[in-house]
mmCIF file with all atom_site columns, all heavy atoms in Angstrom:
data_model
loop_
_atom_site.group_PDB
_atom_site.id
_atom_site.type_symbol
_atom_site.label_atom_id
_atom_site.label_alt_id
_atom_site.label_comp_id
_atom_site.label_asym_id
_atom_site.label_entity_id
_atom_site.label_seq_id
_atom_site.pdbx_PDB_ins_code
_atom_site.Cartn_x
_atom_site.Cartn_y
_atom_site.Cartn_z
_atom_site.occupancy
_atom_site.B_iso_or_equiv
_atom_site.pdbx_formal_charge
_atom_site.auth_seq_id
_atom_site.auth_comp_id
_atom_site.auth_asym_id
_atom_site.auth_atom_id
_atom_site.pdbx_PDB_model_num
ATOM 1  N N   . LYS A 1 82 ? -24.234 -7.113  -3.926 1.00 98.00 ? 82 LYS A N   1
ATOM 2  C CA  . LYS A 1 82 ? -24.518 -6.639  -5.283 1.00 98.00 ? 82 LYS A CA  1
ATOM 3  C C   . LYS A 1 82 ? -23.440 -7.074  -6.275 1.00 98.00 ? 82 LYS A C   1
ATOM 4  O O   . LYS A 1 82 ? -23.747 -7.492  -7.404 1.00 98.00 ? 82 LYS A O   1
ATOM 5  C CB  . LYS A 1 82 ? -24.625 -5.113  -5.273 1.00 98.00 ? 82 LYS A CB  1
ATOM 6  C CG  . LYS A 1 82 ? -24.811 -4.446  -6.650 1.00 98.00 ? 82 LYS A CG  1
ATOM 7  C CD  . LYS A 1 82 ? -24.814 -2.928  -6.510 1.00 98.00 ? 82 LYS A CD  1
ATOM 8  C CE  . LYS A 1 82 ? -24.886 -2.230  -7.867 1.00 98.00 ? 82 LYS A CE  1
ATOM 9  N NZ  . LYS A 1 82 ? -26.227 -2.365  -8.498 1.00 98.00 ? 82 LYS A NZ  1
ATOM 10 N N   . THR A 1 83 ? -22.186 -6.975  -5.841 1.00 98.00 ? 83 THR A N   1
ATOM 11 C CA  . THR A 1 83 ? -21.068 -7.238  -6.749 1.00 98.00 ? 83 THR A CA  1
ATOM 12 C C   . THR A 1 83 ? -20.524 -8.653  -6.643 1.00 98.00 ? 83 THR A C   1
ATOM 13 O O   . THR A 1 83 ? -19.808 -9.105  -7.547 1.00 98.00 ? 83 THR A O   1
ATOM 14 C CB  . THR A 1 83 ? -19.912 -6.269  -6.464 1.00 98.00 ? 83 THR A CB  1
ATOM 15 O OG1 . THR A 1 83 ? -19.451 -6.458  -5.113 1.00 98.00 ? 83 THR A OG1 1
ATOM 16 C CG2 . THR A 1 83 ? -20.353 -4.816  -6.662 1.00 98.00 ? 83 THR A CG2 1
ATOM 17 N N   . GLY A 1 84 ? -20.803 -9.340  -5.551 1.00 98.00 ? 84 GLY A N   1
ATOM 18 C CA  . GLY A 1 84 ? -20.190 -10.642 -5.321 1.00 98.00 ? 84 GLY A CA  1
ATOM 19 C C   . GLY A 1 84 ? -18.722 -10.546 -4.963 1.00 98.00 ? 84 GLY A C   1
ATOM 20 O O   . GLY A 1 84 ? -17.968 -11.515 -5.117 1.00 98.00 ? 84 GLY A O   1
ATOM 21 N N   . LYS A 1 85 ? -18.311 -9.382  -4.448 1.00 98.00 ? 85 LYS A N   1
ATOM 22 C CA  . LYS A 1 85 ? -16.905 -9.153  -4.136 1.00 98.00 ? 85 LYS A CA  1
ATOM 23 C C   . LYS A 1 85 ? -16.699 -8.868  -2.649 1.00 98.00 ? 85 LYS A C   1
ATOM 24 O O   . LYS A 1 85 ? -17.548 -8.271  -2.001 1.00 98.00 ? 85 LYS A O   1
ATOM 25 C CB  . LYS A 1 85 ? -16.363 -7.965  -4.943 1.00 98.00 ? 85 LYS A CB  1
ATOM 26 C CG  . LYS A 1 85 ? -16.373 -8.169  -6.452 1.00 98.00 ? 85 LYS A CG  1
ATOM 27 C CD  . LYS A 1 85 ? -15.861 -6.935  -7.171 1.00 98.00 ? 85 LYS A CD  1
ATOM 28 C CE  . LYS A 1 85 ? -15.838 -7.125  -8.677 1.00 98.00 ? 85 LYS A CE  1
ATOM 29 N NZ  . LYS A 1 85 ? -15.359 -5.908  -9.381 1.00 98.00 ? 85 LYS A NZ  1
ATOM 30 N N   . PHE A 1 86 ? -15.544 -9.302  -2.146 1.00 98.00 ? 86 PHE A N   1
ATOM 31 C CA  . PHE A 1 86 ? -15.059 -8.960  -0.803 1.00 98.00 ? 86 PHE A CA  1
ATOM 32 C C   . PHE A 1 86 ? -15.947 -9.494  0.321  1.00 98.00 ? 86 PHE A C   1
ATOM 33 O O   . PHE A 1 86 ? -15.922 -8.975  1.434  1.00 98.00 ? 86 PHE A O   1
ATOM 34 C CB  . PHE A 1 86 ? -14.846 -7.444  -0.672 1.00 98.00 ? 86 PHE A CB  1
ATOM 35 C CG  . PHE A 1 86 ? -13.910 -6.893  -1.700 1.00 98.00 ? 86 PHE A CG  1
ATOM 36 C CD1 . PHE A 1 86 ? -14.367 -6.079  -2.723 1.00 98.00 ? 86 PHE A CD1 1
ATOM 37 C CD2 . PHE A 1 86 ? -12.561 -7.228  -1.665 1.00 98.00 ? 86 PHE A CD2 1
ATOM 38 C CE1 . PHE A 1 86 ? -13.496 -5.583  -3.694 1.00 98.00 ? 86 PHE A CE1 1
ATOM 39 C CE2 . PHE A 1 86 ? -11.678 -6.746  -2.634 1.00 98.00 ? 86 PHE A CE2 1
ATOM 40 C CZ  . PHE A 1 86 ? -12.154 -5.920  -3.650 1.00 98.00 ? 86 PHE A CZ  1
ATOM 41 N N   . LEU A 1 87 ? -16.724 -10.537 0.030  1.00 98.00 ? 87 LEU A N   1
ATOM 42 C CA  . LEU A 1 87 ? -17.516 -11.243 1.036  1.00 98.00 ? 87 LEU A CA  1
ATOM 43 C C   . LEU A 1 87 ? -17.639 -12.690 0.568  1.00 98.00 ? 87 LEU A C   1
ATOM 44 O O   . LEU A 1 87 ? -18.303 -12.951 -0.440 1.00 98.00 ? 87 LEU A O   1
ATOM 45 C CB  . LEU A 1 87 ? -18.895 -10.615 1.205  1.00 98.00 ? 87 LEU A CB  1
ATOM 46 C CG  . LEU A 1 87 ? -19.804 -11.263 2.259  1.00 98.00 ? 87 LEU A CG  1
ATOM 47 C CD1 . LEU A 1 87 ? -19.181 -11.151 3.655  1.00 98.00 ? 87 LEU A CD1 1
ATOM 48 C CD2 . LEU A 1 87 ? -21.192 -10.621 2.245  1.00 98.00 ? 87 LEU A CD2 1
ATOM 49 N N   . PRO A 1 88 ? -17.000 -13.628 1.262  1.00 98.00 ? 88 PRO A N   1
ATOM 50 C CA  . PRO A 1 88 ? -17.011 -15.019 0.800  1.00 98.00 ? 88 PRO A CA  1
ATOM 51 C C   . PRO A 1 88 ? -18.423 -15.590 0.703  1.00 98.00 ? 88 PRO A C   1
ATOM 52 O O   . PRO A 1 88 ? -19.321 -15.203 1.463  1.00 98.00 ? 88 PRO A O   1
ATOM 53 C CB  . PRO A 1 88 ? -16.195 -15.749 1.876  1.00 98.00 ? 88 PRO A CB  1
ATOM 54 C CG  . PRO A 1 88 ? -15.387 -14.692 2.548  1.00 98.00 ? 88 PRO A CG  1
ATOM 55 C CD  . PRO A 1 88 ? -16.221 -13.457 2.495  1.00 98.00 ? 88 PRO A CD  1
#
Side-chain angles (χ1 to χ4, degrees):
K82 175 184 175 72
T83 61
K85 297 178 179 179
F86 304 110
L87 181 62

